[in-house]
Amino acid sequence: CSSDLKGAKDSKEKHKRILIYNFKVYLVVAFCFAVVTLYSMIFGSQNSVVGVLVLLVLMILRQVDFGIDTKHSIAVIFMIFGILAAGPRLANTVSAGWTFLIHFVCIMAILILSCHNVIMSNHSTFVLSYLLLQGYDVSGADYEKRIVGLLLGMVICMAVFYKNQRLRPYRRSFLDLFREFHFRSARNWWYI
């Protein structure tokens, strides 16, 4: 924004650019509010966190990638949403020792799947989503609605991701995420 303002010829143009920038910000806030409200209305207020999660994931997946082939990335999104659907709920039904193990395995899987390129910071959004779902646990009919909400969000995120990334060339595939996993690498120590 500051570079746009510096390029303004006079104060009238500067004010016009500020107005446009503010309008864009308000549009994004309105969109976020609408998504979370819609999720709350459809899936219940207990599942408004799913609306927040889908919104966060959608915001990152429209711009960044996983560093692997786009079609393989779609499978990664499916796996991550599967972890988000099952991991937090399962962890809330077992004893503390098992809870720790489930969280460790789920978060490690999310890191391996989403964080091949640490600079993209995909992992932070997915781990935050996992923690939000774990903290706002539901059961019974509310959990069934949560699963449907996650499935809907997953499909939307996949569609947006594919639309934005389909033409990007890649040299890595899904299996490279695991082939390049070495205990001595800095990235993998970062995961741990």
Side-chain angles (χ1 to χ4, degrees):
C1 176
S2 64
S3 63
D4 288 340
L5 293 177
K6 288 179 184 176
K9 297 175 186 171
D10 55 23
S11 83
K12 185 177 179 181
E13 186 176 346
K14 184 177 181 179
H15 283 61
K16 180 180 175 183
R17 289 181 183 198
I18 290 172
L19 184 65
I20 291 170
Y21 177 76
N22 283 333
F23 181 72
K24 286 180 182 180
V25 170
Y26 293 136
L27 218 77
V28 169
V29 170
F31 174 74
C32 295
F33 181 77
V35 168
V36 174
T37 302
L38 191 63
Y39 256 82
S40 295
M41 290 170 46
I42 295 171
F43 302 108
S45 61
Q46 303 84 350
N47 286 314
S48 62
V49 70
V50 177
V52 172
L53 175 157
V54 168
L55 186 62
L56 290 172
V57 172
L58 187 60
M59 297 298 256
I60 64 154
L61 290 183
R62 69 187 178 87
Q63 294 181 357
V64 300
D65 61 70
F66 294 101
I68 60 174
D69 182 79
T70 303
K71 291 174 186 153
H72 297 183
S73 295
I74 296 296
V76 165
I77 295 170
F78 178 80
M79 288 180 232
I80 291 172
F81 269 86
I83 292 168
L84 295 175
R89 180 70 198 120
L90 182 61
N92 283 324
T93 62
V94 296
S95 65
W98 287 107
T99 298
F100 174 78
L101 181 64
I102 290 167
H103 288 325
F104 181 81
V105 168
C106 288
I107 291 173
M108 183 62 91
I110 288 171
L111 289 173
I112 292 169
L113 293 171
S114 69
C115 188
H116 193 70
N117 187 354
V118 179
I119 294 171
M120 295 292 191
S121 297
N122 298 340
H123 59 285
S124 57
T125 301
F126 288 116
V127 171
L128 173 64
S129 298
Y130 180 89
L131 296 174
L132 285 171
L133 290 173
Q134 196 278 327
Y136 292 95
D137 191 33
V138 293
S139 60
D142 288 331
Y143 181 66
E144 292 171 11
K145 289 178 185 177
R146 178 166 287 184
I147 296 298
V148 173
L150 284 169
L151 284 172
L152 175 64
M154 178 188 71
V155 169
I156 292 168
C157 290
M158 285 176 168
V160 168
F161 180 83
Y162 186 77
K163 178 197 162 290
N164 292 345
Q165 304 295 333
R166 70 184 184 279
L167 301 176
R168 189 175 287 193
Y170 294 99
R171 291 178 290 163
R172 290 187 176 99
S173 69
F174 173 75
L175 293 177
D176 289 322
L177 296 177
F178 302 96
R179 285 186 194 122
E180 295 177 9
F181 187 91
H182 301 287
F183 282 106
R184 292 189 178 127
S185 77
R187 175 185 23 198
N188 296 331
W189 275 108
W190 183 88
Y191 290 163
I192 294 168

